[in-house]
């Protein structure tokens, strides 16, 4: 990317230092998300930048929208006070809603009004996750690779209600004690923050998966399993005389989460419909 809109002071900032902090903002209907700025020096003639950002949008919230709008900005500080961050360029991708869950690769040219030459291009990948595919993957986890399960969970947990799903499906032992109103609210806020941090770590790891085997995925996610068990140990409130089994609670939590996302009634979910009690899950939680 190169040649952002001019701002006062660019003679020094861009011309001499070659400082550029590009980031991309993406909109699908009313839904928006953006990457973090990537600082580059000596970028007077442009720079290559990997935004490395996965974004999740709901097709249900944009039933009449098929275009993903992308705008690349160059972050400024004081220079942005009057007119905001300068635009490098914009692009649009028309998504194929019936792409069957396959990964689609697109390379699009950036454009900007008043600029004769293209200020760069974006390489984009997207996948339309069909609700039935999500249900099938999370209901019958034993029939899918851990890489596919991880990608599906990212698409579920990156939605605005992702952390709420985690809170709603936790075991009853990981809830504030009855009658602990003020203290319970504080604990709830702390738990939500810990879950947000854990989810962010999971996203970073899952976003880097490519062709890993199940064993390799288990190894990559092992540190997160320990964080998950530690979180349960910190917030669980077992009954008096009851011994805390963090592995059992973690298994129950994941079972509730998967079945909840798959929209399966847990009271009728047979033991043979999924692999929640499989050796694979136990290996992850005890690795």
């Amino acid at each position: 990317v190169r040649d952002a809109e001019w701002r006062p002071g660019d003679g020094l900032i861009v011309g001499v230092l070659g400082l550029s902090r590009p980031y991309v903002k993406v909109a699908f209907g009313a839904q928006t998300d953006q990457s973090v700025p990537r600082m580059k020096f000596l970028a007077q003639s442009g720079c290559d930048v990997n935004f490395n950002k996965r974004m999740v949008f709901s097709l249900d919230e944009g039933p009449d929208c098929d275009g993903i709008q992308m705008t690349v900005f160059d972050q400024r500080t004081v220079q942005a006070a009057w007119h905001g961050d300068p635009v490098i360029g914009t692009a649009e991708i028309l998504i194929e809603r019936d792409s069957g869950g396959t990964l689609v690769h697109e390379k699009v040219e950036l454009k900007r009004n008043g600029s004769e030459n293209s200020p760069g291009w974006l390489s984009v990948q997207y996948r339309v996750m069909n609700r039935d595919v999500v249900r099938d993957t999370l209901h019958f986890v034993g029939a899918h690779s851990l890489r596919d399960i991880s990608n599906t969970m990212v698409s579920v947990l990156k939605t605005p209600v992702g952390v709420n799903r985690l809170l709603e499906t936790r075991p009853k032992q990981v809830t504030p004690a009855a009658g602990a109103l003020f203290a319970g609210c504080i604990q709830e806020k702390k738990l939500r923050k810990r879950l947000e941090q854990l989810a962010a770590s999971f996203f970073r790891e899952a976003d880097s998966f490519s062709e890993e085997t199940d064993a390799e995925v288990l190894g990559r996610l092992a540190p997160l399993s320990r964080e998950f068990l530690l979180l349960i140990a910190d917030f669980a409130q077992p009954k008096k005389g009851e011994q805390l089994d963090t592995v059992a609670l973690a298994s129950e939590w994941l079972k509730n989460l998967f079945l909840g996302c798959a929209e399966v009634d847990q009271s009728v979910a047979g033991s043979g419909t999924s692999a929640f009690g499989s050796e694979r899950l136990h290996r992850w939680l005890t690795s």
Side-chain angles (χ1 to χ4, degrees):
V1 295
R2 58 184 177 273
D3 299 333
E5 293 174 321
W6 184 84
R7 291 289 185 272
D10 275 359
L12 172 63
I13 300 297
V14 179
V16 178
L17 300 177
L19 177 62
S20 181
R21 288 171 289 195
Y23 66 95
V24 60
K25 185 174 182 178
V26 180
F28 180 70
Q31 305 170 76
T32 62
D33 198 355
Q34 68 183 58
S35 69
V36 298
R38 301 287 184 179
M39 184 175 292
K40 300 287 183 177
F41 287 99
L42 302 178
Q44 290 91 338
S45 300
C47 60
D48 294 327
V49 56
N50 181 6
F51 294 118
N52 193 29
K53 173 70 174 179
R54 184 197 296 229
M55 306 178 187
V56 177
F57 301 110
S58 171
L59 295 182
D60 295 337
E61 295 183 26
D64 300 321
C65 181
D66 289 316
I68 298 177
Q69 310 292 330
M70 297 167 290
T71 305
V72 180
F73 295 90
D74 197 349
Q75 187 188 54
R76 298 287 199 271
T77 52
V78 176
Q79 292 173 285
W82 291 103
H83 300 289
D85 291 333
V87 173
I88 294 177
T90 63
E92 180 183 22
I93 286 181
L94 296 179
I95 62 172
E96 302 175 23
R97 289 177 177 256
D98 298 325
S99 55
T102 58
L103 189 64
V104 179
H105 300 260
E106 297 269 4
K107 183 177 180 179
V108 291
E109 188 176 62
L110 293 171
K111 298 180 181 180
R112 189 177 78 241
N113 292 335
S115 177
E116 295 182 0
N117 299 318
S118 171
W121 50 269
L122 290 174
S123 179
V124 181
Q125 301 177 2
Y126 74 85
R127 189 195 309 269
V128 177
M129 297 295 295
N130 184 282
R131 193 182 299 274
D132 291 335
V133 174
V134 172
R135 290 193 188 110
D136 177 74
T137 302
L138 297 182
H139 188 196
F140 301 100
V141 294
H144 299 274
S145 70
L146 287 179
R147 189 177 66 250
D148 289 342
I149 295 169
S150 297
N151 285 327
T152 301
M153 286 309 303
V154 168
S155 70
V156 169
L157 295 178
K158 268 200 173 182
T159 62
V161 297
V163 175
N164 288 341
R165 284 184 178 271
L166 286 169
L167 289 169
E168 291 166 358
T169 55
R170 61 187 154 168
K172 62 182 180 180
Q173 291 92 334
V174 193
T175 55
L181 295 179
F182 182 70
C185 289
I186 295 177
Q187 281 293 91
E188 197 77 352
K189 288 181 180 179
K190 289 182 178 179
L191 176 57
R192 175 179 286 273
K193 185 174 182 179
R194 287 276 295 274
L195 286 173
E196 289 172 348
Q197 294 170 343
L198 185 60
S201 298
F202 171 63
F203 297 155
R204 286 193 295 270
E205 200 64 51
D207 284 348
S208 65
F209 291 160
S210 56
E211 300 297 329
E212 285 84 351
T213 64
D214 274 7
E216 291 170 333
V217 171
L218 280 172
R220 296 271 298 274
L221 294 180
L224 294 181
S225 74
R226 292 189 285 272
E227 287 186 38
F228 189 36
L229 294 173
L230 181 60
L231 178 148
I232 292 174
D234 289 343
F235 288 91
Q237 301 186 52
K239 296 178 181 178
K240 187 175 181 180
E242 181 182 24
Q243 188 172 0
L244 181 64
D245 188 339
T246 55
V247 172
L249 288 176
S251 298
E252 180 184 347
W253 198 337
L254 291 177
K255 174 182 177 181
N256 294 344
L257 176 64
F258 287 4
L259 289 180
C261 293
E263 299 179 3
V264 174
D265 186 345
Q266 297 183 48
S267 65
V268 299
S271 59
T273 61
S274 60
F276 296 116
S278 69
E279 179 187 356
R280 185 168 59 170
L281 177 60
H282 187 267
R283 281 170 53 206
W284 179 63
L285 292 173
T286 56
S287 59

